[in-house]
Amino acid sequence: MLKLWKQKDPDAKGKFVTYEAKNISDEMSFLEMLDIVNQDFIKKNKSAVEFDNDCREGICGACSLVINGIPHGAEMGTATCQLHMRTFKDGETIFVEPFRAKAFPVVKDLIVDRSAFDRIQQAGGYTSINTGNAQDANSILIGKKEADQAFDYAACIGCGACVAACKNASASLFVGAKLAQLALLPQGQVEKKERSKRMVAQMDKEQFGSCTNTGVCSAVCPKEISLDVITKMNCEFFKSLL
Ligand code: SF4
Ligand code: FES
């Protein structure tokens, strides 16, 4: 049994609709299950439930659903598109809701507007120096430890689950991952100070809350970004003020 959140537009009052999903196999992903449900809605001349998705490979960050109260569902380190129906019990009631945070307004049904993340990224989450062509890559030596660590931080797909899970709707895990990744690399040094100031200022402007170190952000993160990045963000930010 599904309880699906339906909301006509950003200003409308949303509500759960109940739907009994049939012919769902264990092998289906959660999004494939929703495709089947939508085919049935369309056949019955009912409006499909809108949800966001793109890659369906766990790399784009779009599949932003809250499943039974947990962003991306209860399976650890898994994006919604990689979640399989075999993780649910036969006959289980599943609640499907959009991410709920002031900075992520609902667009329709299960789709939220996460462009606040884009604006934070545009505020400084890049390097503007010329890093050379492909053949130059090995001329900038980076230690294995730093490279591995930066790669782990770069795994953040910008899905926003950390915000959705946080009681303060803090974006610190996302911003921390971006800042920590670039702070470790030689290419990231040139704009390091400005980047920290600008990204943190934009995060505040977008009305994300403050971090109170609860840790649920890291627990729900499909890429298992470590809480260390929040310490690194604070460290980078304070250093940028000196
Ligand atoms: S830190 Fe994790 S939960 Fe937050 S946006 Fe990145 S991948 Fe998603
Ligand atoms: S659809 Fe791209 S991460 Fe899930």
Side-chain angles (χ1 to χ4, degrees), residues 50-109:
E50 302 285 345
F51 60 95
D52 218 352
N53 66 98
D54 187 0
C55 69
R56 298 198 177 209
E57 290 179 354
I59 52 171
C60 78
C63 50
S64 52
L65 302 179
V66 175
I67 301 161
N68 287 341
I70 305 171
H72 296 294
E75 192 84 352
M76 303 282 280
T78 308
T80 297
C81 56
Q82 299 171 303
L83 183 67
H84 285 94
M85 293 313 293
R86 57 178 168 267
T87 59
F88 298 93
K89 287 188 208 84
D90 200 13
E92 184 177 341
T93 299
I94 306 172
F95 285 81
V96 192
E97 296 169 78
F99 282 1
R100 299 192 193 277
K102 203 172 184 178
F104 291 164
V106 173
V107 176
K108 188 174 182 189
D109 298 342

Side-chain angles (χ1 to χ4, degrees), residues 165-184:
C166 175
K167 63 185 178 197
N168 308 315
S170 166
S172 296
L173 200 70
F174 165 74
V175 177
K178 304 297 172 197
L179 286 177
Q181 178 212 340
L182 291 170
L184 271 172

Side-chain angles (χ1 to χ4, degrees), residues 120-237:
I120 295 175
Q121 189 72 5
Q122 284 155 7
Y126 52 81
T127 57
S128 58
I129 55 158
N130 184 355
T131 53
N133 296 321
Q135 67 268 28
D136 299 328
N138 291 335
S139 64
I140 303 172
L141 297 178
I142 301 169
K144 169 100 173 88
K145 203 170 136 230
E146 288 76 24
D148 286 351
Q149 189 77 83
F151 191 78
D152 285 348
Y153 298 153
C156 166
I157 53 175
C159 63
C162 42
V163 172
C166 175
K167 63 185 178 197
N168 308 315
S170 166
S172 296
L173 200 70
F174 165 74
V175 177
K178 304 297 172 197
L179 286 177
Q181 178 212 340
L182 291 170
L184 271 172
L185 299 173
Q187 296 92 335
Q189 301 309 307
V190 183
E191 293 146 317
K192 200 167 146 174
K193 280 193 168 187
E194 280 311 301
R195 174 181 304 115
S196 310
K197 274 191 222 161
R198 289 205 304 257
M199 288 183 84
V200 169
Q202 190 66 33
M203 169 174 76
D204 291 342
K205 197 173 158 195
E206 299 289 351
Q207 301 194 345
F208 290 103
S210 298
C211 172
T212 48
N213 250 334
T214 310
V216 70
C217 51
S218 181
V220 300
C221 172
K223 298 298 164 187
E224 299 178 310
I225 300 289
S226 123
L227 271 184
D228 298 354
V229 298
I230 299 180
T231 314
K232 289 192 192 309
M233 175 185 77
N234 290 331
C235 200
E236 289 301 320
F237 179 69

